[in-house]
Amino acid sequence: MLNWFTQIFAVSKFSLQTLPERKGAALSAVFGIAGVVAVLVGVLSIAQGIRLMVQNSGEPENAIVLRSGSDSEMMSGFGGPQTEIIADAPGIARYAGGPMASPELFVIINLPKRSTGTDANVPLRGVAPAAFEVRSNLEITQGRMFEWGLSQLVVGVGASREFSGLDLGSSIEVGGEQWPVVGIFEAGGGIAEGEIWADAAVVQPAYRRGNSYQSVYAKLNSVEAFSEFEDSLTTDPRLNVKVAQATEFYSEQSSLLRSIIIGLGSLIAGLMGLGAIFGALNTMYTAVSARTREIATLRALGFKSAPVVISVLFESLVLAFAGGLIGGGLAYLAFDGFRAATINWQSFSQIAFAFDVNATLLKNGILYAALIGLVGGLFPAIRAARMPVASALREG
């Protein structure tokens, strides 16, 4: 067994020492695999960024109430009296201003993207004072809070960054009038950072909504209070609602978008991976051809087929690993923290997020590179092992 390992070490070492003589083909394989890994990690970092944004959006003890059968806030609707019934339900936490329940209005307005100048659907949320108690991570970081009863706006930092007209001190048209942006807020990287907020009582007449809302956000006394809260609302004959925990609601709202991105990214990476496998095959076949006499000589000296196979696979894996590291590094430098906005097909509105290249994505990218190297080196390795010694010596 020791002799077997000695043979593997000797053949692999000699194989790597001859790499400079084949540096053109070797570098082609390395950078081909690096490109595949960079694209794979880059695309999947979009889905990871959206997942992280969703994770930061919902607090465990928060609940959202929609009209029964509604898939999103856009499809939901309540009258003012119904929201008062919801706010009186058991399990809702209270503060000095009353129950921590915010009836909210969700409106879509058109604003141009800073990057392209094309119009995009940007969510405008009309909120009640309790909204700032329900979202405990929301903080005004520039300017000030809007005054209740006035046509003023505060804007999420993501929306301000992605859409024109949302700078502090500027104004945008809302309901046919100019509303000033008086503040910029952050919300722990959550989905609210892509929204515009105003007083719901002012948004209602601007869009002729009367005394109506589309959802109620509530903070409960604890996570365990959710069942009592849900049961009290779904069994109340005056209401026809569905209740969801905020974490589940946001996860469901982004599931379609994340599935599309992951599917598209996997398809692109799969197609590029096939190309990289052919590149690795070409590189390793070239390596085997260049080493025909050397391999035949080793076989004639008593080296077994297995060490030859393993040495070829080892070289292929080394090249793939190098490509994986380079591709992962390029993806991290180019994409990590890069901010963008895209449409959420379940709410038909824009969401702002940041690409997230984390350790898991990098690890998966390197594993994918190793798989390409393994497949790309397998057939050349088998060819090397089956090479007849006598004819190989003559060819070499």
Side-chain angles (χ1 to χ4, degrees):
M1 180 61 73
L2 181 60
N3 183 51
W4 195 75
F5 282 116
T6 303
Q7 288 186 7
I8 293 175
F9 177 76
V11 178
S12 300
K13 180 181 177 183
F14 189 81
S15 174
L16 294 179
Q17 286 176 336
T18 61
L19 268 178
E21 300 171 11
R22 297 173 277 113
K23 59 183 177 185
L27 288 176
S28 174
V30 168
F31 285 105
I33 293 172
V36 173
V37 172
V39 170
L40 174 67
V41 173
V43 174
L44 295 185
S45 70
I46 300 174
Q48 171 62 19
I50 293 173
R51 191 194 68 79
L52 188 62
M53 178 198 65
V54 169
Q55 182 179 312
N56 293 332
S57 297
E59 298 172 43
E61 64 275 17
N62 285 1
I64 300 173
V65 185
L66 301 176
R67 185 179 62 195
S68 180
S70 303
D71 294 326
S72 67
E73 291 181 89
M74 287 290 291
M75 306 298 292
S76 179
F78 293 121
Q82 291 176 301
T83 64
E84 294 173 4
I85 296 172
I86 294 170
D88 287 335
I92 295 181
R94 302 186 70 85
Y95 73 117
M100 291 187 186
S102 170
E104 301 186 356
L105 200 63
F106 189 82
V107 178
I108 298 296
I109 62 174
N110 286 329
L111 288 175
K113 279 188 168 184
R114 292 185 190 273
S115 56
T116 62
T118 56
D119 281 348
N121 293 336
V122 183
L124 167 62
R125 183 178 296 278
V127 300
F132 295 88
E133 303 297 330
V134 175
R135 281 93 156 183
S136 58
N137 60 354
L138 195 145
E139 179 184 8
I140 302 290
T141 55
Q142 299 178 52
R144 60 174 175 81
M145 176 60 184
F146 61 74
E147 294 185 37
W148 298 99
L150 296 182
S151 301
Q152 298 177 347
L153 304 166
V154 292
V155 177
V157 64
S160 177
R161 185 171 46 240
E162 295 297 328
F163 307 108
S164 298
L166 296 182
D167 297 313
L168 182 64
S170 61
S171 297
I172 61 171
E173 183 175 322
V174 177
E177 298 180 358
Q178 292 294 314
W179 292 27
V181 176
V182 299
I184 307 291
F185 68 81
E186 295 183 2
I191 198 169
E193 291 189 355
E195 298 180 344
I196 304 169
W197 281 25
D199 183 353
V202 182
V203 176
Q204 286 172 332
Y207 287 89
R208 299 181 177 85
R209 296 294 182 90
N211 186 22
S212 69
Y213 300 89
Q214 285 165 291
S215 60
V216 177
Y217 284 69
K219 181 178 285 296
L220 306 181
N221 290 319
S222 65
V223 177
E224 291 72 25
F226 178 78
S227 296
E228 179 188 19
F229 178 67
E230 181 184 29
D231 291 343
S232 69
L233 294 181
T234 54
T235 58
D236 192 323
R238 297 170 295 176
L239 299 172
N240 182 26
V241 301
K242 76 171 187 180
V243 186
Q245 289 183 305
T247 49
E248 294 179 0
F249 174 75
Y250 286 123
S251 178
E252 181 183 340
Q253 287 292 293
S254 65
S255 60
L256 176 61
L257 180 60
R258 281 185 291 144
S259 298
I260 291 173
I261 293 171
I262 291 173
L264 184 62
S266 300
L267 176 64
I268 294 172
L271 293 174
M272 293 185 67
L274 282 176
I277 286 174
F278 283 113
L281 279 170
N282 179 61
T283 300
M284 297 315 300
Y285 272 127
T286 302
V288 170
S289 297
R291 296 170 56 201
T292 298
R293 179 182 290 273
E294 166 205 328
I295 293 171
T297 303
L298 291 172
R299 296 285 307 283
L301 291 174
F303 280 72
K304 304 296 184 183
S305 297
V308 174
V309 170
I310 293 174
S311 72
V312 174
L313 286 176
F314 180 70
E315 179 182 333
S316 181
L317 285 172
V318 167
L319 296 178
F321 186 70
L325 286 179
I326 293 172
L330 290 174
Y332 181 82
L333 293 174
F335 298 116
D336 189 51
F338 181 78
R339 297 184 177 278
T342 188
I343 190 167
N344 183 354
W345 294 103
Q346 283 168 287
S347 65
F348 296 102
S349 61
Q350 293 281 322
I351 53 173
F353 65 96
F355 289 51
D356 182 39
V357 180
N358 61 14
T360 300
L361 280 183
L362 293 175
K363 181 190 71 177
N364 291 339
I366 292 173
L367 288 176
Y368 188 54
L371 177 63
I372 292 173
L374 189 63
V375 175
L378 181 61
F379 295 103
I382 293 173
R383 179 177 183 272
R386 291 180 175 175
M387 190 180 298
V389 176
S391 60
L393 287 172
R394 284 197 301 272
E395 290 174 9

